[in-house]
Amino acid sequence: MTDETSPPPAPSSSGYTPVPPRGAAAVAGDGMSIARVLFSLRRWWREDVVGTVEQAQVIEKRRAECALSERYLFMTAMSAGIAVLGLLLSSPAVVIGAMLLSPLMDPIMGLGFALAIGDYQWLKKSARSLAWGTVMAVALTAALVYLSPIQTITSEIAARTQPNLFDLFVALFSALAGAYAMIRGREGTIVGVAIATALMPPLATVGFGLATWNWTVFSGALLLYVTNLITIALTALAMARLYGFRTSLSSRNTLFQNIAVAAVFVALAIPLALSLQQIAFQTNAQRVIRAEIYEPFVDGTEISRFDVDFRADPIVIGASVYTPNPLPEAEAQIERALSARLDQPVELSLTQLQVGTAASAAQQAQLSAARANEEEVARERAASLATRLALVAGVTEDEVTVDRTRRRATVRAERLDGATLAAYRALEMRIAATEPDWTIELLPPIGDLPDAIPFDADGPTPEGAQALSVIEWASKRIDLPIVLAGNDEQATQAAEILARRGVSVSVRSGGGELSADWGGN
């Protein structure tokens, strides 16, 4: 029998063995393998993932949370109020609290799920809730800002006036997490999503812009809110479709809906990409400006102040430099160079401060200026503290002793009608809370100590402990001993507590309710 199998190709002289071409059967086998893998993945997704989702339960819960209810309106109002106060105070912690309270995520997610299943009654219900919540939040925040004495643009407000493409991606990934959590029943994740997407702070910023008639703030914050809103809704739609939520739309209508979703994303991405491009330009421009300011000067020159207003036309730049060798023509020279490099008109105001020729002279001058600035801030802070202490003590500022070296402030208060020792202590604590680095002492006039110091079987009650704290404070401020009278056991126990706190105290034998008096009275 003849073996018709072709022998393997012989290696060439270089040692290379040619590889025979693969046949059509081998290629077809690879295609079938890939098809089998894809089929297995689809079956796994359909049976083990989509098949485990309780779609009716998810839809029922999402539908219920989109209702325009008293709770929804109340929580929206509270969240808006907290958000605008956090923005005005520039307090990130307060702003985060507003994010957590905001219920706006529910109707926005409802929009996405309603679009996914083609339920336009639910869609209208969600849109109505969202519209009422949005209008109420903007109106409330605008009213609060209009009535507020503080209407300055803080860092928290400014951070929400220039959205860019990154904000779109933040909303996208946050919405993916939020929709997954709602579909899979992991509601705890929504807390993180609420913080990441931050729906209420941009709305509060819109209200700020409306109240102050600031179009830049208003339009920038509104674009950020709309970006978050639409991205969350459309991402919820995509996730719902991915997890098998069925629609009653025809194939043609579904295709049209998908095209519309893609178009909306593109429409949002264009202005956000332009905004991101502007931010990149400003960042690069600041680097260029610094380099050009240093360029004409000798080594040892330091920039002490550097401000740029990109919104002005031309761009306004203010800078101060410490230099051993001031140059009269430097301002005009740098201005021309910057106009050429930035390809925009520039207006430069350059202040040159001459320092010594030593290598460290500019740094020393910069440090001296910083120390002088810190000294001025400390002086203003001490003056403000003296003003507040004089106000609560009922005296003039000249009667307040302020030691800035030891960070200690003392004032002897006048007798205020109806003010108890507890009231004076509360006033001192209120001032001290605003100045944690200072020792604050408000010396009260001699007054009546607490009438009673309640005790129970375990010792002083909360009211008794509060009374002992007032007695301790008053004794130290007035520098007089204390005499306790009443139940012997309670008096002894109270005396031990006060003695451990450094109070000079004695006990007078007797009975009845425990009370305190000044020694020598």
Side-chain angles (χ1 to χ4, degrees), residues 276-318:
L276 180 61
Q277 185 180 21
Q278 178 65 15
I279 292 174
F281 165 78
Q282 292 178 5
T283 302
N284 182 64
Q286 289 182 335
R287 181 184 58 79
V288 169
I289 292 168
R290 281 186 172 276
E292 289 296 336
I293 290 175
Y294 276 120
E295 178 65 25
F297 294 102
V298 297
D299 291 343
T301 299
E302 293 289 340
I303 296 176
S304 66
R305 182 180 62 85
F306 178 66
D307 302 308
V308 185
D309 184 1
F310 288 101
R311 291 191 175 96
D313 188 16
I315 297 174
V316 175
I317 303 170

Side-chain angles (χ1 to χ4, degrees), residues 166-179 193 196-197 231 235:
F166 291 154
D167 292 297
L168 176 64
F169 287 116
V170 169
L172 174 64
F173 291 126
S174 301
L176 286 171
V193 174
T197 51
T231 303
T235 305

